[in-house]
Amino acid sequence: MDILQRIFGQPENLPPVTGETFLIAGLGNHGREYRDNRHNIGFMALDMLAKAHHTSFTQVKNRALVTDFRLGDHKVVMAKPQTFMNRSGDAIGPLLNFYKLEPNHLLVIYDDLDLPLGTLRLREKGSAGGHNGMKSIINHVGDVFPRLRLGIGRPPGKMPVQAYVLQDFGADEVLVVREVLDTAVRATETFIQEGLTLAMSRYNGKINE
């Protein structure tokens, strides 16, 4: 199953911008076999954002696939680390330094087992919550930076967590996943243009509530 079959767009040339620069990072495992895994919903969100802004990931920089676009006066750099998940900080830390950005201009989008599928949660800081990719980023930049958690729920029965997160979303979950990704795009755009506080008040919670 290819959830993102019709999400990808074509790159286009963009004029220079005079506003602030933001780094939006999505977490996942690189490799086609992981593409539709629950653990890759952070990558999926960035692909959806890229589609919305007519760009695609054609560059490699600091061990990440990157692309950028303009949102109003702001430059938005998107990055998908190509390291192992538990070394995500090895890509994000150097990128933050390369663009000379403070951590409050970083937004990390990733999966969260403790939130039900269909739930989003923006926060300005916090712990890794057991997520190895976030642990790595925190080790590089500290724990005070915005993050967008996308719920994937807990594994059913006695299924091991590792098997669950590396499992594709089910056919009965595709519509909810699409709604979550659409909402994640809007939340990210609001964060960039109007700030984290407004984005949190507008988008935190379960979709369609």
Side-chain angles (χ1 to χ4, degrees):
M1 178 184 65
D2 188 353
I3 295 175
L4 298 172
Q5 184 177 5
R6 290 178 288 181
I7 289 179
F8 297 96
Q10 298 298 318
E12 68 176 21
N13 294 322
L14 298 168
V17 296
T18 57
E20 298 177 285
T21 298
F22 292 85
L23 175 61
I24 312 300
L27 300 189
N29 290 306
H30 65 93
R32 188 169 185 83
E33 66 271 30
Y34 301 112
R35 184 172 176 177
D36 292 329
N37 287 181
R38 300 174 191 279
H39 218 17
N40 271 39
I41 198 169
F43 276 9
M44 294 177 192
L46 258 63
D47 288 332
M48 182 77 85
L49 187 59
K51 167 65 176 178
H53 293 278
H54 312 290
T55 188
S56 59
F57 292 89
T58 57
Q59 308 170 56
V60 178
K61 185 176 293 183
N62 293 98
R63 302 179 69 182
L65 288 174
V66 299
T67 189
D68 60 75
F69 63 90
R70 185 181 71 184
L71 186 59
D73 289 332
H74 304 303
K75 177 178 179 178
V76 182
V77 179
M78 297 191 295
K80 297 195 290 186
Q82 299 299 286
T83 59
F84 291 110
M85 176 71 84
N86 63 357
R87 301 297 297 271
S88 298
D90 292 354
I92 301 307
L95 281 172
L96 205 64
N97 292 332
F98 177 84
Y99 290 103
K100 298 179 172 60
L101 300 178
E102 295 298 322
N104 65 345
H105 281 61
L106 167 67
L107 178 69
V108 180
I109 307 175
Y110 65 102
D111 58 293
D112 194 308
L113 286 160
D114 293 324
L115 295 176
L117 181 65
T119 304
L120 296 86
R121 190 68 48 80
L122 277 157
R123 293 185 64 189
E124 62 181 346
K125 60 183 179 179
S127 68
H131 194 288
N132 289 329
M134 288 297 287
K135 286 180 183 177
S136 178
I137 294 174
I138 288 171
N139 285 339
H140 281 262
V141 306
D143 63 357
V144 183
F145 61 87
R147 69 281 312 271
L148 174 55
R149 298 151 55 201
L150 306 180
I152 61 171
R154 282 279 170 185
K158 297 182 179 180
M159 178 184 288
V161 167
Q162 184 175 4
Y164 177 72
V165 299
L166 297 179
Q167 180 186 70
D168 287 358
F169 286 104
D172 60 331
E173 297 172 315
V174 172
L175 291 179
V176 175
V177 171
R178 178 65 192 236
E179 289 184 79
V180 167
L181 297 177
D182 283 339
T183 305
V185 167
R186 296 195 301 273
T188 301
E189 292 170 339
T190 300
F191 161 72
I192 294 165
Q193 294 183 297
E194 302 182 72
L196 181 61
T197 300
L198 181 59
M200 288 192 297
S201 67
R202 187 176 293 172
Y203 294 105
N204 278 355
K206 196 167 179 65
I207 58 175
N208 297 326
E209 280 191 346

